[in-house]
């Protein structure tokens, strides 16, 4: 089987004519800018991996890089309060990721029960706490590594090594997009920069390169995609004046492609330029939040000096999915560098009150606004919202002053809402101190399998033949977490 061909079991469409021949014929017949629409139509024709009735049509994933502390957010541990100040490891034999365990350190924020379901949430997240009846918490998440980059790769792709397709790429490979003038997979990085591991987190790996994400700059509505518009010195060039040039480029691209039919990166590059022509109209419209009501802008706190950037990301995620984008990933935090005033993400080795105090407010305002806004627009029922991080943090204090927490690959919390999720429930559990998952240990494979299931995809049947192996997002692992499904 051709490495770049779809595995038969992952598609329900059998073309009556070879795909490449039909595409070539129609593009030659259409010619010029008309070929752009034909390319989009034909690209959509290859997407059909629905295996059962879906509950969700689209996904918004919030990723909190750096390692959010489950112990200070969602995982209530009364025993940790009882043992406060006592040595976590009296024998002195343990070694955390970057430190020896300090004394037991309970949450720096009070935990309270919320909603009709009585879910426990700390006072760090008061607005998100009002949404718990729509949320399912997975308290038993684990990772295979405590290194930021590999752990981010694992949560995004299922593998600790780089080079594997991200979940967003797998979803768009299976389902395509519902929009003709916007990408199927969009990433909104934190304005401070890229996360640990950079753009590999949303790459297409060995899947056709067209399935990698498109990055949007949420701080620049006039130029949301780098180099989308020509520089100012070309202002006199109009769409009508460049028609002949585009028509000529289309013909050159087709001639170049005909002798390189197996090069998916070339095909993706051509399609990217074709999409860029459409994005010149659609991208500025979707990223211009001035058209939103004042009450919506207040809900997302878009004018707040600290919470505003993430609020804009969340609002844009709603606008993108509302217009047919299949998968939107939002990053709440950037690379794990040392602190200036604060750490630029959730990696709180020195001072968890300082860093989580900042990022908690950011996440709280944006994520709660997103859930409430989706609900108000009637979109939450068929939009799956996922919030996760790469790993958790330790119950023993870190540092001379005991203000930080070290990495913990053995336990963290993820949550899901909407799109077929049963709200107000929790799944799995950690030990009495929150050090390790002991009930229903859960990995990214299970989270991915559940997300695909809600989208109508059997994770064992969505495959891609690569180097002699039918690859899949969940590798050889994973099960659907039935307990959190509505």
């Amino acid at each position: 089987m051709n490495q770049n061909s779809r595995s038969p079991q992952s598609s329900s469409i059998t073309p009556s004519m070879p795909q490449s021949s039909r595409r070539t014929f129609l593009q030659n017949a259409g010619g010029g800018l008309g070929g752009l629409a034909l390319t989009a139509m034909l690209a959509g024709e290859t997407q059909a991996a629905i295996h059962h009735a879906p509950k969700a049509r689209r996904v918004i994933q919030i990723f909190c890089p750096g390692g959010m502390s489950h112990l200070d957010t969602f995982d209530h541990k009364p025993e940790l309060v009882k043992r406060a100040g006592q040595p976590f490891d009296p024998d002195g034999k343990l070694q955390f990721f970057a430190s020896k365990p300090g004394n037991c350190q309970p949450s720096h924020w009070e935990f309270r029960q919320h909603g009709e379901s009585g879910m426990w949430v700390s006072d760090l997240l008061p607005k998100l706490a009002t949404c718990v009846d729509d949320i399912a918490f997975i308290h038993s998440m684990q990772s295979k590594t405590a290194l930021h980059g590999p752990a981010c790769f694992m949560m995004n792709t299922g593998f600790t090594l780089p080079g594997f397709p991200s979940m967003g790429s797998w979803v768009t490979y299976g389902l395509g997009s519902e929009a003709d003038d916007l990408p199927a997979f969009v990433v909104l990085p934190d304005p401070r920069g890229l996360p640990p591991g950079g753009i590999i987190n949303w790459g297409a790996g060995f899947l056709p390169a067209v399935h990698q994400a498109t990055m949007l700059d949420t701080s620049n509505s006039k130029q949301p995609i780098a180099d989308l518009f020509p520089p100012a010195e070309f202002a006199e060039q109009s769409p009508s004046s460049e028609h002949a040039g585009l028509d000529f480029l289309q013909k050159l691209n087709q001639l170049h492609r005909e002798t390189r039919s197996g090069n998916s990166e070339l095909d993706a590059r051509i399609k990217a330029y074709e999409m860029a022509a459409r994005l010149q109209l659609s991208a500025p419209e979707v990223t211009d939040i001035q058209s939103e009501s004042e009450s919506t802008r207040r809900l997302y706190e878009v004018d707040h000096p600290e919470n505003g950037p993430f609020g804009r990301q969340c609002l844009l995620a709603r606008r993108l999915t509302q217009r047919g984008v299949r998968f939107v990933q939002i990053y709440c935090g950037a690379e794990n560098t040392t602190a200036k005033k604060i750490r630029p993400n959730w990696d709180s080795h020195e001072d968890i009150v300082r860093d989580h105090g900042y990022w908690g407010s950011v996440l709280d305002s944006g994520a709660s606004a997103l859930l409430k806004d989706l609900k108000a627009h009637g979109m939450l029922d068929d939009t799956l919202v996922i919030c996760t991080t790469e790993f958790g943090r330790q119950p023993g204090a870190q540092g001379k002053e005991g203000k930080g927490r070290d990495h913990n690959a053995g336990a963290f919390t993820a949550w899901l809402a909407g799109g077929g999720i049963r709200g107000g429930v929790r799944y799995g559990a950690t030990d009495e101190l929150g050090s390790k998952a002991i009930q229903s240990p859960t990995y990214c494979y299970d989270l991915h399998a559940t997300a695909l299931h809600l989208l109508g995809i059997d994770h064992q049947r969505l495959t891609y033949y690569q180097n002699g192996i039918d690859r899949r997002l969940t590798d050889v692992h994973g099960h659907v977490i039935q307990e959190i499904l509505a």
Side-chain angles (χ1 to χ4, degrees):
M1 182 182 294
N2 189 305
Q3 179 173 326
N4 294 322
S5 66
R6 178 187 293 270
S7 171
Q9 59 185 344
S10 63
S11 175
S12 61
I13 287 181
T14 304
S16 58
M17 177 180 180
Q19 187 71 25
S20 60
S21 300
R22 183 172 54 199
R23 181 183 289 116
T24 300
F25 169 76
L26 288 173
Q27 284 183 324
N28 285 341
L33 293 174
L36 303 182
L38 288 168
T39 298
M41 292 167 62
L42 290 171
E45 192 174 349
T46 65
Q47 315 299 329
I50 296 291
H51 301 128
H52 54 263
K55 295 289 184 68
R57 294 171 57 187
R58 60 192 80 86
V59 178
I60 298 174
Q61 183 189 20
I62 300 171
F63 199 106
C64 300
M68 183 199 299
S69 170
H70 54 297
L71 299 167
D72 294 282
T73 51
F74 306 114
D75 200 355
H76 179 44
K77 291 299 169 186
E79 185 63 26
L80 196 55
V81 177
K82 294 179 183 178
R83 299 194 198 178
Q86 299 178 19
F88 177 82
D89 176 33
D91 298 329
K93 295 180 179 180
L94 294 180
Q95 172 69 38
F96 287 162
F97 171 76
S99 65
K100 296 292 288 185
N103 291 333
C104 290
Q105 175 59 61
S107 172
H108 294 274
W109 292 268
E110 190 77 21
F111 269 80
R112 306 178 199 277
Q113 289 180 284
H114 296 272
E116 294 182 5
S117 56
M119 294 290 102
W120 290 94
V121 179
S122 84
D123 287 350
L124 177 62
L125 304 165
K127 296 177 182 176
L128 199 55
T130 66
C131 304
V132 293
D133 289 334
D134 292 317
I135 294 175
F137 295 95
I138 303 176
H139 291 304
S140 52
M141 293 297 300
Q142 292 186 314
S143 180
K144 292 184 176 180
T145 175
L147 291 169
H148 289 290
C152 285
F153 295 155
M154 183 173 180
M155 183 51 65
N156 279 312
T157 73
F159 294 84
T160 58
L161 296 175
F164 289 88
S166 62
M167 177 165 64
S169 295
W170 277 109
V171 169
T172 57
Y173 165 65
L175 299 178
S177 180
E178 294 183 312
D180 292 329
D181 55 356
L182 288 168
F185 179 17
V186 172
V187 168
L188 308 175
D190 192 285
R192 294 167 181 79
L194 301 180
I199 62 174
I200 299 174
N201 284 288
W202 49 83
F206 47 73
L207 291 178
V210 69
H211 297 295
Q212 66 189 7
T214 297
M215 281 194 300
L216 292 188
D217 181 356
T218 57
S219 64
N220 189 350
S221 61
K222 294 183 179 180
Q223 188 83 279
I225 300 174
D227 301 321
L228 180 61
F229 296 101
E233 56 265 31
F234 290 90
E236 70 279 0
Q237 186 172 351
S238 65
S240 58
S241 67
E242 66 178 353
H243 178 87
L246 289 174
D247 189 26
F248 180 60
L249 284 174
Q250 179 77 3
K251 293 177 181 178
L252 290 179
N253 285 341
Q254 183 58 39
L255 290 172
H256 195 63
R257 176 196 273 162
E258 285 175 355
T259 59
R260 299 165 176 84
S261 59
N263 189 337
S264 75
E265 291 188 0
L266 172 64
D267 200 48
R269 179 66 61 85
I270 294 173
K271 289 182 179 179
Y273 281 113
E274 293 172 347
M275 173 63 79
R278 300 193 293 276
L279 283 172
Q280 286 181 340
L281 297 176
S282 61
E285 185 277 330
V286 75
T287 56
D288 182 11
I289 63 173
Q290 298 302 319
S291 60
E292 295 287 344
S293 67
E294 183 60 31
S295 61
T296 298
R297 291 168 56 84
R298 284 198 307 270
L299 176 67
Y300 284 95
E301 299 185 36
V302 296
D303 296 319
H304 190 284
E306 304 298 337
N307 298 343
F310 183 67
R312 284 192 288 274
Q313 290 171 270
C314 290
L315 177 53
L316 283 176
R318 191 266 287 164
R319 290 172 63 86
L320 288 162
T321 52
Q322 195 174 29
R323 288 158 174 77
V325 175
R326 182 73 69 180
F327 198 104
V328 178
Q329 190 178 47
I330 313 169
Y331 279 85
C332 181
E335 181 58 89
N336 54 305
T337 55
T338 55
K340 293 181 180 178
K341 291 183 178 180
I342 58 159
R343 284 253 187 175
N345 66 15
W346 296 79
D347 194 24
S348 305
H349 289 280
E350 306 89 5
D351 192 334
I352 203 157
V353 172
R354 178 195 68 192
D355 296 334
H356 272 52
Y358 177 89
W359 287 107
S361 177
V362 170
L363 176 68
D364 190 45
S365 63
S368 62
L370 176 62
L371 293 179
K372 292 173 182 177
D373 196 25
L374 287 171
K375 204 168 188 177
H377 279 82
M379 294 174 61
L380 187 59
D381 286 345
D382 58 3
T383 303
L384 176 62
V385 180
I386 303 171
C387 182
T388 190
T389 184
E390 69 264 40
F391 45 64
R393 308 205 81 83
Q394 296 287 357
Q398 183 182 14
K400 292 181 179 180
E401 299 180 10
K403 292 183 177 181
R405 293 193 192 274
D406 208 341
H407 299 181
N408 184 1
F412 63 102
T413 297
W415 60 260
L416 303 89
I421 289 296
R422 184 158 61 100
V425 299
R426 51 179 172 261
Y427 176 81
T430 55
D431 60 32
E432 59 184 2
L433 298 181
S435 176
K436 186 177 181 180
I438 58 171
Q439 179 184 316
S440 304
T442 305
Y443 285 92
C444 61
Y445 317 114
D446 311 306
L447 190 69
H448 293 163
T450 304
L452 292 179
H453 173 82
L454 291 168
L455 289 163
I457 299 173
D458 182 341
H459 73 102
Q460 294 180 312
R461 295 172 61 193
L462 182 66
T463 62
Y464 189 86
Y465 189 79
Q466 190 255 347
N467 287 343
I469 301 174
D470 273 333
R471 292 284 191 181
R472 67 187 209 214
L473 172 60
T474 53
D475 195 22
V476 296
H477 312 285
H479 73 280
V480 176
I481 308 173
Q482 297 289 343
E483 290 84 349
I484 66 172
L485 303 186

